[in-house]
Amino acid sequence: GVQEGDYVTLNVRDNPSNTFAWMLGRRTLFSVGERFKKRFSAISVIVYMCSLFMVLIVNLLFYLKVEHSIDVTTTLVILILYNSLPVVTAILEAMHLAELSPLHRGLLMRDELSVECELAILLSKDGTTKTPHYRLLKRSGCMLKSAGEFLTYYEEHTNPTSVLGVHASSPTAILAALSTLLGGFSIALQAVTANAALGWMYDENGMYVNSGTVE
């Protein structure tokens, strides 16, 4: 019997029913993961918007020269970095999940090509297409082709994997979301540098005030 931790191997090349069973099993697992992905994506969007809001607060503190404690700035920076962890995790997992569809489609195309080659060999050897083995392989080739077309249509066109509303197969567009946070930090750093030239800095009590030493 199958023990815990063992893998079940299906010969999708020589048995059309195994191909259909593999597609049903994969579709079931995909549906379960899809529901979890949607919930996690919604949380990621909320966390991302909160991070942007806190980055805006940090920029306002320095650009408006608001007197505040260094604890406020430290807390905001820690929260932004902490909230960025699930966003980065969601992006990496979505990119990995998006890679599975073309990988599985490539495996199906490899088996389909193998079936077509064997069909050509059988036809040249037997000279007929009416043998049971030839008919079985023919049905298997059709099933593999249909399975590959289904993967392409459903998982890449109809229901592609996305995160933060962006297609997961486009890493440039996804990483642009993180660059917004990094850009906000760089703008805040510019404000800190400009204010320091005017005498604004944290004193020994941790308060951001104008020391008046620089005119």
Side-chain angles (χ1 to χ4, degrees), residues 6-160:
D6 292 344
Y7 293 97
V8 178
T9 302
L10 292 177
N11 185 2
V12 298
R13 178 187 178 279
D14 299 325
N15 195 333
S17 60
N18 285 346
T19 306
F20 184 69
W22 178 78
M23 285 297 299
L24 287 180
R26 189 181 184 280
R27 184 70 189 92
T28 302
L29 295 175
F30 187 87
S31 299
V32 174
E34 185 180 28
R35 288 193 292 268
F36 174 78
K37 179 185 70 68
K38 288 181 178 179
R39 291 195 296 268
F40 193 78
S41 296
I43 296 174
S44 299
V45 171
I46 295 174
V47 171
Y48 178 73
M49 296 304 297
C50 290
S51 298
L52 285 180
F53 180 70
M54 287 185 286
V55 169
L56 177 61
I57 293 178
V58 172
N59 279 273
L60 290 177
L61 288 177
F62 292 111
Y63 271 100
L64 298 180
K65 300 180 179 64
V66 179
E67 294 186 2
H68 61 277
S69 173
I70 192 174
D71 295 335
V72 175
T73 306
T74 303
T75 302
L76 288 173
V77 172
I78 292 176
L79 288 176
I80 293 171
L81 295 177
Y82 182 77
N83 289 341
S84 298
L85 291 178
V87 177
V88 173
T89 301
I91 290 175
L92 294 178
E93 292 297 328
M95 293 174 65
H96 175 69
L97 182 61
E99 294 174 354
L100 290 179
S101 181
L103 176 62
H104 290 171
R105 190 174 70 253
L107 294 176
L108 292 175
M109 293 176 64
R110 183 195 64 182
D111 286 341
E112 182 183 356
L113 179 60
S114 177
V115 169
E116 292 295 333
C117 292
E118 187 168 349
L119 287 174
I121 294 174
L122 288 176
L123 183 60
S124 63
K125 182 184 299 183
D126 300 332
T128 179
T129 60
K130 298 182 179 180
T131 61
H133 185 49
Y134 185 94
R135 291 179 176 178
L136 179 64
L137 285 179
K138 189 66 175 179
R139 290 196 300 270
S140 179
C142 293
M143 181 62 73
L144 290 171
K145 182 178 180 181
S146 299
E149 292 175 349
F150 175 80
L151 288 180
T152 302
Y153 175 76
Y154 184 79
E155 297 182 9
E156 294 190 10
H157 298 287
T158 305
N159 194 21

